[in-house]
Amino acid sequence: HHLSLTDESVEGYNTNFKMSPPLRSRKDVEALQRGLKEGIIDCVATDHAPHTQEEKMLEFDEAPFGAIGLETALGVCLTELVHPKKMTFSELVRRMSLAPAQILRLPEGFGEIRKETEANLTLVDLHEEWEVKASDFISKSTNSCFIGKRLKGRTVATLCMGKLWVYREELKR
């Protein structure tokens, strides 16, 4: 959220935009994007914070902080960073895969494709344009600040520990 949204998003008091830390100015968003590109920021994290509709329907001051981000993270980063050429796809993959695996000290082979290791990778359609809809989420919650936003680039499937996970029914055929 902090790589793409500004404090102007909060003007309508939609609690899906209530974050901790709060959203900041366009200048701050640009600084975060530069920091990610230059490697000052090691990786992208989603802080996936699911909340029920009832929790998020409270007055702004009373509603919990956070929003879900796991299902939109790649699409947002592709739309905001890769397609406008602020960073390359390879740089983004490094920040969303290899660097987190290294930071978390995951076993050898995580975050990269390597012969004779179980597959742990994401298949991506870089050019699919789609609208974020609450009804499409697999998450148990729908408190996303990106509902209604058009994104370019989408996760198609994931191989985790060699097991294939396909996300959309039309792809399972």
Side-chain angles (χ1 to χ4, degrees):
H1 330 304
H2 293 88
L3 288 168
S4 63
L5 301 172
T6 69
D7 52 1
E8 292 176 3
S9 301
V10 182
E11 288 177 359
Y13 296 103
N14 179 336
T15 58
N16 287 329
F17 293 91
K18 183 179 179 184
M19 312 284 167
S20 182
L23 297 172
R24 306 292 184 181
S25 71
R26 172 60 46 203
K27 185 177 175 182
D28 293 313
V29 170
E30 291 167 359
L32 285 174
Q33 291 176 351
R34 261 191 324 278
L36 189 65
K37 162 84 174 150
E38 295 171 6
I40 296 164
I41 298 171
D42 297 323
C43 63
V44 174
T46 65
D47 189 26
H48 186 76
H51 295 288
T52 66
Q53 191 76 9
E54 292 77 26
E55 290 174 306
K56 288 304 250 183
M57 290 300 290
L58 297 172
E59 289 185 30
F60 197 84
D61 288 344
E62 303 298 319
F65 292 98
I68 61 172
L70 192 59
E71 294 179 60
T72 55
L74 180 64
V76 169
C77 288
L78 289 169
T79 301
E80 298 290 331
L81 300 169
V82 174
H83 290 298
K85 302 193 183 315
K86 294 177 182 177
M87 67 187 313
T88 67
F89 181 63
S90 294
E91 290 168 330
L92 181 63
V93 168
R94 194 172 304 113
R95 301 287 185 268
M96 293 187 83
S97 181
L98 184 58
Q102 291 171 338
I103 291 166
L104 294 171
R105 295 188 171 103
L106 295 178
E108 199 170 310
F110 274 85
E112 58 188 338
I113 300 171
R114 187 179 277 198
K115 187 177 178 180
E116 297 182 17
T117 61
E118 288 183 302
N120 293 294
L121 54 96
T122 300
L123 305 176
V124 178
D125 182 335
L126 292 173
H127 303 290
E128 180 181 346
E129 295 189 29
W130 58 290
E131 181 180 336
V132 178
K133 297 178 184 174
S135 60
D136 291 340
F137 288 132
I138 296 170
S139 299
K140 292 180 180 179
S141 179
T142 60
N143 60 302
S144 172
C145 49
F146 295 108
I147 292 174
K149 183 167 176 66
R150 294 215 43 90
L151 301 176
K152 184 176 181 182
R154 191 173 196 179
T155 300
V156 174
T158 299
L159 282 151
C160 182
M161 302 299 285
K163 184 174 180 182
L164 178 64
W165 298 85
V166 178
Y167 298 109
R168 295 190 311 279
E169 287 299 320
E170 67 270 19
L171 298 173
K172 290 182 181 178
R173 292 184 217 128

